[in-house]
Amino acid sequence: MSDDADAEACFACDSERSEPATEGEVVPPEGEVVPPPSEPEAASPAEEAAATFARRVRADPRFEVLWVRGRLVSFRLVAWYSAEAETLNAELLSEVNASVSGSGRSWIAPTREGSGDDGGGGRDSLSLLHASGPRTSPAVCWADVKAATERVMLRHMGEFVCGGCDCLDTLAGQVLV
């Protein structure tokens, strides 16, 4: 070993290094090439659109976001007064998919989440999947889902709200508190 003060021995092979190891650094055996650490991959436009859609859904107290994976967002309406979540989500599914009439503007798919304790007699609760694509506008998709939600909620809550103002949102906030 040399007398160089900056050099230190590698414990794995007991040979000298020209630079001291940093804390937590793993020193490869002599002659082995180690690739540089990779940069985290940037989110794709579809993944960014999914994240934006999920933020919009989370901001509405009538919904809960179950998960976001890549370009998929799993979400559902929560139960309101006497309307069960299962019923509301089934109606929302039909309303969103029927309202676009095959235009491809927005579309959601049903899925069952395995919570195990959903209070529905052992059945997993219905949730909805939204898939974001590179040409999918989160604002347009959210507008479609929100408008369909208003129609579903008015069918169930019509006697409590007038439908001409934001009283449905106010009602939503009061129910969740």
Side-chain angles (χ1 to χ4, degrees):
M1 289 195 191
S2 75
D3 294 333
D4 187 7
D6 288 335
E8 69 179 38
C10 172
F11 295 110
C13 64
D14 204 28
S15 64
E16 282 188 21
R17 292 185 47 168
S18 59
E19 301 166 1
T22 58
E23 187 175 326
E25 178 183 14
V26 177
V27 181
E30 190 174 331
E32 185 175 319
V33 177
V34 178
S38 61
E39 295 290 322
E41 291 185 29
S44 72
E47 291 170 332
E48 289 176 14
T52 301
F53 179 80
R55 280 192 299 275
R56 290 174 186 258
V57 173
R58 280 188 185 106
D60 190 318
R62 299 171 293 184
F63 288 94
E64 64 180 336
V65 173
L66 304 173
W67 49 261
V68 179
R69 294 184 190 130
R71 48 179 261 167
L72 293 174
V73 179
S74 177
F75 67 101
R76 64 180 164 210
L77 275 166
V78 295
W80 291 88
Y81 286 117
S82 62
E84 294 181 13
E86 183 81 11
T87 302
L88 294 173
N89 284 297
E91 290 181 23
L92 180 60
L93 174 69
S94 296
E95 193 72 37
V96 169
N97 292 344
S99 67
V100 296
S101 302
S103 69
R105 188 172 123 148
S106 299
W107 188 79
I108 56 178
T111 186
R112 298 266 174 201
E113 295 297 325
S115 62
D117 185 26
D118 62 355
R123 252 180 38 188
D124 295 332
S125 59
L126 176 67
S127 59
L128 308 168
L129 283 178
H130 166 70
S132 295
R135 291 176 287 217
T136 304
S137 165
V140 169
C141 293
W142 172 242
D144 290 343
V145 169
K146 186 175 179 183
T149 302
E150 298 294 331
R151 292 189 296 272
V152 168
M153 298 304 285
L154 282 173
R155 281 198 296 270
H156 290 275
M157 309 291 170
E159 66 270 13
F160 301 114
V161 296
C162 67
C165 63
D166 70 345
C167 58
L168 188 60
D169 289 334
T170 303
L171 177 64
Q174 291 171 358
V175 171
L176 291 175
V177 177

